[in-house]
Amino acid sequence: MVCVMRRWLLRAIGLLVVGFAVSLIVAVSIWVTAGGPPPPDPMGGPWIHYPVSEADIAIWRRRRSETWPEQPAQAYWDEFTFGRSCRTLLAITGQFDRTGLSHEEWDRRARSRSFYNVDVVETGWPAHFLAIEFWFEIHYPTPFTEYTGGLQLGRVLLPRRFLWRGVILDTLFYSVLIGLLLVGTSQGRARLRRARGRCPKCGYDLRGRLEEGCPECGWRRSAVDGAQPQRQSSD
């Protein structure tokens, strides 16, 4: 009994390891197929606004410098594709109303305006498995500076922060899926062997005598031997 439980435990652990590996491969494949990081565009049109959460503030403060505002002023989703989403956290300092301003006055005031932007990209399916953050800091009119929370492998940038809820869900999903495929394949192979007159366990050719069991691996032999009547010894 202990050996059986140990065998099933090892099989379950093996399935979980394979499920984790498949989840990781799927998440990275979606990231690479989608073309990597989104282009920096802090003035791009937002799609879906949502309230700034504590998790967003924690991400904001993870890599912000001392010159950044304490927390983002806006948060919105700006990308939804298969297995991938991108949300943006944004704060702008030096805002002003440009109504009625000349170009020279607008340019003078704009020089004190700064953009602080964080793009959070999550990837994976059916749940998001990995995440990567991009921090952009733009001070008009100088170009933006960028910081990334990704893993740089040569010229390839990959997400590296695990989303543990997605890790658990995706690992369980692929582990169960692979387990069902293995069970279905095993049962189908056994039926095919039986139909060909072979042992469903090891494939040994029984010449159609399935009722006798398999002398190679012992399939059904114990049941058959136990069912045979024992000869009584004569005095």
Side-chain angles (χ1 to χ4, degrees):
M1 184 64 180
V2 176
C3 294
V4 173
M5 293 180 61
R6 183 180 301 171
R7 183 167 63 249
W8 280 104
L9 179 60
L10 291 176
R11 289 178 180 177
I13 294 174
L15 280 176
L16 289 174
V17 171
V18 175
F20 177 85
V22 173
S23 302
L24 180 61
I25 293 173
V26 170
V28 173
S29 299
I30 292 174
W31 166 261
V32 174
T33 303
D41 186 13
M43 292 301 291
W47 288 3
I48 304 175
H49 282 271
Y50 69 94
V52 178
S53 65
E54 292 296 328
D56 294 328
I57 296 175
I59 292 175
W60 179 272
R61 294 177 179 176
R62 185 177 296 139
R63 286 287 299 276
R64 75 177 185 89
S65 64
E66 295 180 355
T67 61
W68 278 44
E70 185 67 20
Q71 64 184 48
Q74 303 176 42
Y76 55 86
W77 296 97
D78 57 0
E79 179 187 339
F80 284 100
T81 56
F82 174 78
R84 170 178 158 129
S85 69
C86 176
R87 68 180 186 273
T88 295
L89 312 175
L90 176 65
I92 305 176
T93 61
Q95 289 273 56
F96 60 91
D97 183 6
R98 60 180 301 172
T99 304
L101 297 180
S102 64
H103 178 75
E104 291 76 12
E105 179 64 16
W106 176 87
D107 184 72
R108 184 184 68 81
R109 295 190 183 186
R111 291 180 182 274
S112 62
R113 185 173 56 176
S114 297
F115 297 88
Y116 304 91
N117 190 89
V118 179
D119 286 338
V120 184
V121 185
E122 299 178 353
T123 177
W125 190 89
H128 289 152
F129 189 89
L130 291 172
I132 184 173
E133 290 87 24
F134 299 90
W135 290 265
F136 303 102
E137 184 176 346
I138 305 176
H139 305 282
Y140 183 86
T142 59
F144 69 88
T145 56
E146 176 184 352
Y147 310 90
T148 178
L151 177 63
Q152 191 74 46
L153 296 177
R155 296 184 178 181
V156 180
L157 179 65
L158 298 175
R160 68 177 180 182
R161 183 166 66 87
F162 289 102
L163 303 171
W164 294 112
R165 177 178 177 274
V167 169
I168 294 173
L169 292 177
D170 285 2
T171 299
L172 291 177
F173 174 80
Y174 287 109
S175 297
V176 172
L177 182 62
I178 293 171
L180 292 176
L181 290 175
L182 291 177
V183 171
T185 303
S186 177
Q187 291 181 350
R189 183 171 60 246
R191 292 193 183 97
L192 182 61
R193 287 173 175 174
R194 289 177 67 97
R196 294 179 176 178
R198 295 178 176 273
C199 173
K201 185 175 181 180
C202 68
Y204 184 77
D205 189 358
L206 300 177
R207 304 296 180 182
R209 298 188 298 273
L210 294 173
E211 67 280 355
E212 298 179 6
C214 180
E216 183 72 15
C217 68
W219 174 76
R220 287 191 63 182
R221 296 293 289 187
S222 58
V224 172
D225 294 342
Q228 291 179 353
Q230 297 181 354
R231 295 181 179 178
Q232 297 182 354
S233 59
S234 58
D235 294 332

